[in-house]
Amino acid sequence: MEIIPIPAFTDNYVWLIRSGQKAVVVDPGDAAPVRRYLARHDLEITGILITHHHGDHIGGIGELARPEIPVFGPADEEIAGVTHPVAGGDSVQMDAPRLFFEVMDVPGHTRGHIAYHGHGLVFCGDTLFNAGCGRIFEGTPQQLHASLQALAALPPETRVYCTHEYTLANLRFAEAAEPDNPARDRFAAEMQALRDAGEPTLPTDLATQRAINPFLRCDSPSVRATLALQDASDEAVFTALRDWKNRF
Ligand code: ZN
Ligand code: FE
């Protein structure tokens, strides 16, 4: 099984999961780059996974879906073209590529946002990003905090496939939020080198995110000192961080 990022728009990735000549795509916001990839590599699309209802994640469904392929998506959101609505606790199974994912409810960015976890990886859409997290459009800070904690509780080696290349901007915020984190400084240099070489900074893994992502580090003394919230709850620290990031 191979997982390939297909760049779309300015900073999205459509993830393509391939085995032999069969492929599943995750969050195809734009059909055109996906079609080109399928044609160039002589692949047949056998399924689509959707994490949430935003246009940059679903815009390609109509052109890519065929009546015989399943389109999985969040049961709590209204999305044209979804044939298999799923929610936390459900599973997704496919024969080719042979896939088994457990669905997690990860609300906060949107009300019904879901993630797909299995095979040591997680497709988490716009919830957890490399060095950051999604904006809160429909949910509450409490919900997004709980969703990120649920993702962070997966095994540390879990590879994280999120949908946007926001890493360098996120790292600038991370540095402001947690000035005292040498591991993050080293990581930022690695990510800058990847971008300079035109490479994606994804996937990442949860052990790395726990070490460098301020939104998973609400207990960090450096984060708390920055916010002057030494005695607040993790949730209150998260809420203040997310709010600051909106204005950063
Ligand atoms: Zn989104
Ligand atoms: Fe998005």
Side-chain angles (χ1 to χ4, degrees):
M1 192 167 89
E2 199 185 346
I3 305 177
I4 297 123
I6 302 175
F9 308 117
T10 51
D11 53 31
N12 284 62
Y13 295 120
V14 178
W15 294 104
L16 182 140
I17 309 168
R18 168 184 185 173
S19 178
Q21 298 312 115
K22 312 280 189 192
V24 164
V25 291
V26 184
D27 284 350
D30 189 3
V34 176
R35 280 179 147 174
R36 280 197 295 274
Y37 191 92
L38 295 170
R40 193 179 316 132
H41 298 271
D42 196 23
L43 298 174
E44 180 193 351
I45 188 168
T46 56
I48 296 175
L49 305 180
I50 300 294
T51 63
H52 67 291
H53 69 82
H54 286 157
D56 64 311
H57 299 249
I58 68 169
I61 297 175
E63 272 184 67
L64 293 169
R66 296 191 315 276
E68 65 274 21
I69 75 166
V71 180
F72 296 91
D76 285 349
E77 298 188 353
E78 206 63 57
I79 301 172
V82 167
T83 59
H84 291 56
V86 287
D90 290 341
S91 56
V92 165
Q93 280 190 68
M94 301 222 16
D95 291 332
R98 185 167 296 280
L99 295 176
F100 184 87
F101 289 120
E102 277 162 0
V103 178
M104 299 170 70
D105 284 322
V106 286
H109 178 69
T110 63
R111 203 187 60 249
H113 201 304
I114 57 174
Y116 299 89
H117 169 239
H119 308 273
L121 37 101
V122 64
F123 293 95
C124 57
D126 288 356
T127 52
L128 178 61
F129 289 131
N130 190 346
C133 72
R135 271 178 194 267
I136 297 165
F137 283 112
E138 297 170 8
T140 63
Q142 291 74 20
Q143 282 178 323
L144 186 58
H145 179 246
S147 295
L148 294 180
Q149 290 299 116
L151 291 167
L154 296 173
E157 63 277 11
T158 305
R159 279 170 298 154
V160 178
Y161 293 82
C162 35
T163 313
H164 290 275
E165 182 61 67
Y166 290 158
T167 309
L168 295 185
N170 285 341
L171 282 165
R172 285 191 285 279
F173 177 76
E175 189 181 351
E178 189 182 27
D180 184 17
N181 185 337
R184 193 270 332 287
D185 293 338
R186 289 190 295 274
F187 182 73
E190 285 170 33
M191 296 300 102
Q192 182 69 57
L194 282 175
R195 294 309 290 151
D196 289 346
E199 301 286 336
T201 60
L202 298 166
T204 178
D205 64 71
L206 285 175
T208 302
Q209 291 309 306
R210 294 184 69 106
I212 63 99
N213 188 326
F215 293 98
L216 299 183
R217 298 177 56 76
C218 295
D219 57 347
S220 150
S222 179
V223 169
R224 287 170 167 256
T226 305
L227 295 166
L229 285 174
Q230 281 87 346
D231 299 319
S233 66
D234 283 0
E235 203 176 83
V237 171
F238 177 81
T239 302
L241 267 186
R242 186 55 263 184
D243 184 60
W244 179 21
K245 176 71 164 59
N246 290 344
R247 294 173 279 111
F248 186 76

